[in-house]
Amino acid sequence: MKKNDILKIVARIAVILVIIIVFVLINDQIQYNRRSSFIPKNDNSNFAYQIEDLSVDGDEIVVTGWFFELKSVANIPREVDDNNVLGIVLYDINAVEEKNIDGTDKPKKGRLFTVERMARSDVYQYFKCDYDYSKCGFVGRLKKSEIDLENGDYQIVFKTEVEGELGYKSDIYISKGKLMFVNPSDVRELDVQGTDLAPIVNNGYCLVSYPEHHVYVYQYEKKLYWIVDGEYPFNESEGTVIQCQLDTTQFERLPKNLTENGRYRGSIGGKFENGELTNEMNCGPYRVFARDIPKEYSITRIETGSYEDGKWIWQRYFRPMFLYK
């Protein structure tokens, strides 16, 4: 075979290899774009999850926690595909919204974590019921260079089908390098220095921050605290009722008076004035209502608010920081 013929063959092979490499790279980018994009859906009672830790490992940020889709909600069975691969996307909440030509929102784009799943026996024991949720743990990794960790505000989005379109916006944020459980734009610094509320606010978890309605909910150890300022709309004549309903996986452990009436949620609400701590501790300029977190049954999500005259005055959903011991 002549030298020129050999060179032609080598050149053709090189061209084919380049085409294959370019095709693979383009296909990988298309796949990444699909996995890291999502049509946003609001969080709902179909899921239980927690991100427990945020750390930096070399050039990566690492989040650890657990996530599972509930196979029964309000004691009603649901079809859940256990084989779906979990997708975790970090979305910049300050990103400019992109529009289609017709004015509708384009799918949002985030940064995709690589996710490793694992068993979590502690989570399984806490939520133990007719269904096996043991393989719910995860470790997610993302290159630090892909985000502005020190200055950015991001929201964790879960995709129950990593190749699917829908992304469920969680109530977990990474704000300026720290885990938060309320939207950073809602955060308010409370004036608690020198009061008995200081350890609750400084060492606890802020799970609800609703400045428009002058109410903030903190968890400190195994107790919830509703902290309200002087502009909160109290019902001075009849008492101010705080609603607090709790979803669970362990319906059989709920009080019988609830399940007999077809209510498969726990309830720890009541009149603010009856559970008030303001006269028992130094609360500074605030009034405080408190409740112990029930230990008799598991809790997947909590609904709280104030409901009067057939409508909500204010309402928020949140998830407690799960304490397994």
Side-chain angles (χ1 to χ4, degrees), residues 39-63:
I39 296 173
K41 297 286 289 184
N42 288 330
D43 186 13
N44 58 48
S45 59
N46 294 343
F47 311 107
Y49 60 79
Q50 187 69 72
I51 289 183
E52 301 160 316
D53 186 58
L54 167 69
S55 61
V56 175
D57 182 14
D59 63 348
E60 294 180 320
I61 63 171
V62 182
V63 293

Side-chain angles (χ1 to χ4, degrees), residues 179-192:
L179 274 179
M180 297 186 67
F181 304 93
V182 295
N183 191 313
S185 64
D186 292 332
V187 172
R188 298 293 185 273
E189 184 174 347
L190 301 186
D191 181 16
V192 297

Side-chain angles (χ1 to χ4, degrees), residues 102-138:
D102 61 2
T104 58
D105 291 338
K106 287 186 176 181
K108 299 184 184 298
K109 298 177 182 178
R111 310 308 299 177
L112 182 68
F113 283 87
T114 59
V115 178
E116 178 186 359
R117 299 305 299 270
M118 61 198 64
R120 286 287 301 266
S121 60
D122 54 347
V123 178
Y124 168 74
Q125 288 298 326
Y126 177 75
F127 291 104
K128 192 173 182 180
C129 58
D130 293 338
Y131 305 102
D132 184 0
Y133 296 126
S134 59
K135 295 180 181 179
C136 63
F138 66 76

Side-chain angles (χ1 to χ4, degrees), residues 11-285:
R12 289 171 182 169
I13 292 173
V15 170
I16 292 171
L17 288 174
V18 169
I19 292 173
I20 292 173
I21 291 171
V22 170
F23 175 80
V24 169
L25 291 174
I26 292 174
N27 188 63
D28 285 347
Q29 187 61 48
I30 291 172
Q31 187 179 55
Y32 178 86
N33 290 341
R34 182 170 64 249
R35 291 184 170 190
S36 60
S37 299
F38 62 95
I39 296 173
K41 297 286 289 184
N42 288 330
D43 186 13
N44 58 48
S45 59
N46 294 343
F47 311 107
Y49 60 79
Q50 187 69 72
I51 289 183
E52 301 160 316
D53 186 58
L54 167 69
S55 61
V56 175
D57 182 14
D59 63 348
E60 294 180 320
I61 63 171
V62 182
V63 293
T64 58
W66 49 268
F67 177 99
F68 60 87
E69 189 168 1
L70 291 161
K71 298 179 182 179
S72 180
V73 175
N75 210 28
I76 300 174
R78 302 173 57 247
E79 290 187 12
V80 175
D81 185 355
D82 289 330
N83 297 316
N84 285 340
V85 179
L86 178 66
I88 302 178
V89 176
L90 195 60
Y91 174 67
D92 184 350
I93 62 176
N94 298 313
V96 177
E97 302 294 332
E98 297 184 21
K99 301 285 186 179
N100 294 308
I101 296 176
D102 61 2
T104 58
D105 291 338
K106 287 186 176 181
K108 299 184 184 298
K109 298 177 182 178
R111 310 308 299 177
L112 182 68
F113 283 87
T114 59
V115 178
E116 178 186 359
R117 299 305 299 270
M118 61 198 64
R120 286 287 301 266
S121 60
D122 54 347
V123 178
Y124 168 74
Q125 288 298 326
Y126 177 75
F127 291 104
K128 192 173 182 180
C129 58
D130 293 338
Y131 305 102
D132 184 0
Y133 296 126
S134 59
K135 295 180 181 179
C136 63
F138 66 76
V139 175
R141 295 180 178 271
L142 179 68
K143 293 288 185 182
K144 281 199 305 180
S145 58
E146 295 193 41
I147 66 169
D148 184 357
L149 184 61
E150 293 184 359
N151 303 298
D153 293 322
Y154 303 91
Q155 184 175 27
I156 295 289
V157 176
F158 292 109
K159 298 183 72 174
T160 56
E161 297 180 44
V162 70
E163 302 285 350
E165 293 183 334
L166 300 181
Y168 294 92
K169 300 185 297 182
S170 78
D171 49 16
I172 302 174
Y173 299 81
I174 297 176
S175 177
K176 298 172 179 57
K178 295 182 179 180
L179 274 179
M180 297 186 67
F181 304 93
V182 295
N183 191 313
S185 64
D186 292 332
V187 172
R188 298 293 185 273
E189 184 174 347
L190 301 186
D191 181 16
V192 297
Q193 186 174 358
T195 73
D196 293 332
L197 296 181
I200 296 169
V201 171
N202 296 334
N203 302 324
Y205 300 96
C206 182
L207 303 178
V208 173
S209 183
Y210 208 166
E212 298 95 320
H213 288 277
H214 312 280
V215 59
Y216 310 86
V217 181
Y218 280 78
Q219 178 179 335
Y220 182 57
E221 296 179 345
K222 298 182 180 181
K223 206 176 188 75
L224 294 174
Y225 297 84
W226 285 254
I227 302 174
V228 306
D229 65 30
E231 296 185 49
Y232 187 82
F234 281 94
N235 186 331
E236 300 295 348
S237 60
E238 300 179 7
T240 307
V241 176
I242 296 294
Q243 299 285 344
C244 189
Q245 319 297 331
L246 308 96
D247 295 329
T248 183
T249 59
Q250 298 167 340
F251 312 109
E252 74 285 353
R253 297 187 184 183
L254 291 170
K256 287 187 177 181
N257 65 302
L258 295 178
T259 55
E260 287 175 353
N261 292 323
R263 296 174 58 194
Y264 291 94
R265 307 175 82 191
S267 179
I268 59 171
K271 287 190 176 181
F272 191 107
E273 294 80 1
N274 293 342
E276 189 167 0
L277 300 181
T278 312
N279 295 326
E280 301 176 16
M281 55 193 293
N282 177 8
C283 297

